[in-house]
Amino acid sequence: MSGKLTSPDEINKQLYPHGEVHQAVHRVADVGEEQVQSYRQQGYATVLDMLSEAEIGTAIEAVMAHIADDQTAVKVQFVKPRSELRSDEERELAVRKLYEFVEVDDRLRAVAYHPNVLAVVEKLLGAKPKLVQDIALLKPPKGGGEKPWHQDMAYGNLAYDRPVIGVWIALDEAGLDNGCMQIIPRSHMNGGIPHYAERDWQLCDTVVPVERNVAVPLAPGSALFFHGLLMHGTAFNFSQKRRRALQFHYAPDTAEKISPREYKRMFTSEMTGADC
């Protein structure tokens, strides 16, 4: 790959090729030692039945209510100035994410502390979990943006001295055409890798082995559990379908934040002066 990619079509084509597809088959009750070992080796696991249809509906209602409410205490990130948004549809199309909602909305807090979620997280972590981040991620139809390849622990608020685990729960069908999660299996074994401010805070496009990419489509209510150092990203959504998801991060309850110097050493080029 030569030069920096700027066209959404080229980004989707070159950085998110549809190679292997992982189909979720396990349910909450199936998660045992075999799945734990697979998670540790591959860096991810999927579970089908995290939320019921009613719980999915309640979570969607909560997300959409906060998008429509100018007075909400939830943090809502728009990609356009709110003053330019004239309708509910325009507002939804302009929202990239919501965050810090667990202490504001009991409906979404119930998902973050759902017994199914916590049971699987504790098994995969091998420790009691503590919630350290809550986000709702939206890819609206007809142009929902890319989230470039990255490692979650490269974001300072998730940089702990023990691995964190991400839980990505689909509220809509998340497929190959509307921005499902894509991952590089076993990439968590490489440790922390420098990130750069390019299209986002991201890995260099050239260091991601996209030929090993695995797409992870999920039905509503299903979840992807992934290691905080696993390379992952999502493509542009050019389809006519919404793709809404909740994402939570949990750390072992004894984990502590790493020092700024250690963060720079692991996740930035400040120590080397290297360019992307």
Side-chain angles (χ1 to χ4, degrees), residues 2 44 49 51 92 98 167 235-236 254:
S2 60
Y44 73 101
D49 57 343
L51 302 181
E92 181 186 353
L98 294 77
V167 183
F236 286 92
T254 58

Side-chain angles (χ1 to χ4, degrees), residues 241-261:
K241 298 183 292 186
R242 292 181 172 95
R243 197 236 61 193
R244 294 167 291 191
L246 297 177
Q247 180 170 284
F248 304 102
H249 283 93
Y250 303 85
D253 61 354
T254 58
E256 297 181 358
K257 298 294 290 296
I258 62 175
S259 69
R261 180 175 179 82

Side-chain angles (χ1 to χ4, degrees), residues 102-156:
V102 161
E103 299 304 324
V104 174
D105 192 301
D106 289 341
R107 296 166 293 182
L108 298 174
R109 180 181 176 84
V111 181
Y113 290 98
H114 196 291
N116 285 348
V117 174
L118 294 182
V120 175
V121 167
E122 184 168 347
K123 286 180 180 179
L124 298 179
L125 275 182
K128 289 286 185 183
K130 60 181 177 183
L131 180 69
V132 294
Q133 188 183 57
D134 56 287
I135 312 176
L137 298 163
L138 280 68
K139 265 190 210 297
K142 300 175 288 188
E146 174 209 20
K147 178 62 178 178
W149 290 98
H150 64 284
Q151 298 172 304
D152 281 351
M153 290 175 71
Y155 290 78

Side-chain angles (χ1 to χ4, degrees), residues 11-255:
I11 288 170
N12 272 16
K13 180 179 178 181
Q14 295 197 36
L15 296 180
Y16 305 96
H18 292 162
E20 183 180 343
V21 177
H22 173 89
Q23 296 292 349
V25 296
H26 295 295
R27 298 185 179 277
V28 173
D30 298 333
V31 179
E33 187 58 30
E34 181 181 348
Q35 285 68 43
V36 171
Q37 290 304 317
S38 176
Y39 169 82
R40 290 175 180 170
Q41 293 167 8
Q42 300 298 320
Y44 73 101
T46 54
V47 180
L48 285 170
D49 57 343
M50 299 307 300
L51 302 181
S52 69
E53 186 174 343
E55 289 167 335
I56 296 165
T58 298
I60 289 174
E61 288 175 4
V63 168
M64 301 308 287
H66 290 295
I67 290 173
D69 182 4
D70 279 327
Q71 305 305 315
T72 181
V74 172
K75 305 287 178 58
V76 183
Q77 184 183 96
F78 289 88
V79 297
K80 292 181 179 179
R82 295 191 194 196
S83 59
E84 296 179 9
L85 306 174
R86 306 300 182 189
S87 66
D88 289 345
E89 181 183 14
E90 287 184 357
R91 286 178 72 92
E92 181 186 353
L93 292 175
V95 173
R96 181 170 180 249
K97 67 180 180 181
L98 294 77
Y99 56 105
E100 296 183 11
F101 49 72
V102 161
E103 299 304 324
V104 174
D105 192 301
D106 289 341
R107 296 166 293 182
L108 298 174
R109 180 181 176 84
V111 181
Y113 290 98
H114 196 291
N116 285 348
V117 174
L118 294 182
V120 175
V121 167
E122 184 168 347
K123 286 180 180 179
L124 298 179
L125 275 182
K128 289 286 185 183
K130 60 181 177 183
L131 180 69
V132 294
Q133 188 183 57
D134 56 287
I135 312 176
L137 298 163
L138 280 68
K139 265 190 210 297
K142 300 175 288 188
E146 174 209 20
K147 178 62 178 178
W149 290 98
H150 64 284
Q151 298 172 304
D152 281 351
M153 290 175 71
Y155 290 78
N157 57 334
L158 296 177
Y160 283 84
D161 61 355
R162 296 182 64 189
V164 304
I165 186 169
V167 183
W168 195 96
I169 304 173
L171 297 179
D172 301 301
E173 190 82 28
L176 298 176
D177 60 342
N178 69 334
C180 71
M181 284 281 275
Q182 305 204 32
I183 61 172
I184 307 296
R186 302 177 67 86
S187 57
H188 64 302
M189 294 185 175
N190 298 330
I193 301 172
H195 284 56
Y196 298 83
E198 296 289 321
R199 299 185 302 282
D200 201 326
W201 185 241
Q202 65 174 93
L203 293 162
C204 261
D205 293 335
T206 53
V207 307
V208 182
V210 295
E211 68 280 0
R212 292 170 44 205
N213 175 35
V214 173
V216 187
L218 291 173
S222 300
L224 169 68
F225 295 78
F226 60 100
H227 192 287
L229 293 176
L230 191 77
M231 293 182 181
H232 63 287
T234 60
F236 286 92
N237 175 17
F238 297 132
S239 79
Q240 301 295 314
K241 298 183 292 186
R242 292 181 172 95
R243 197 236 61 193
R244 294 167 291 191
L246 297 177
Q247 180 170 284
F248 304 102
H249 283 93
Y250 303 85
D253 61 354
T254 58

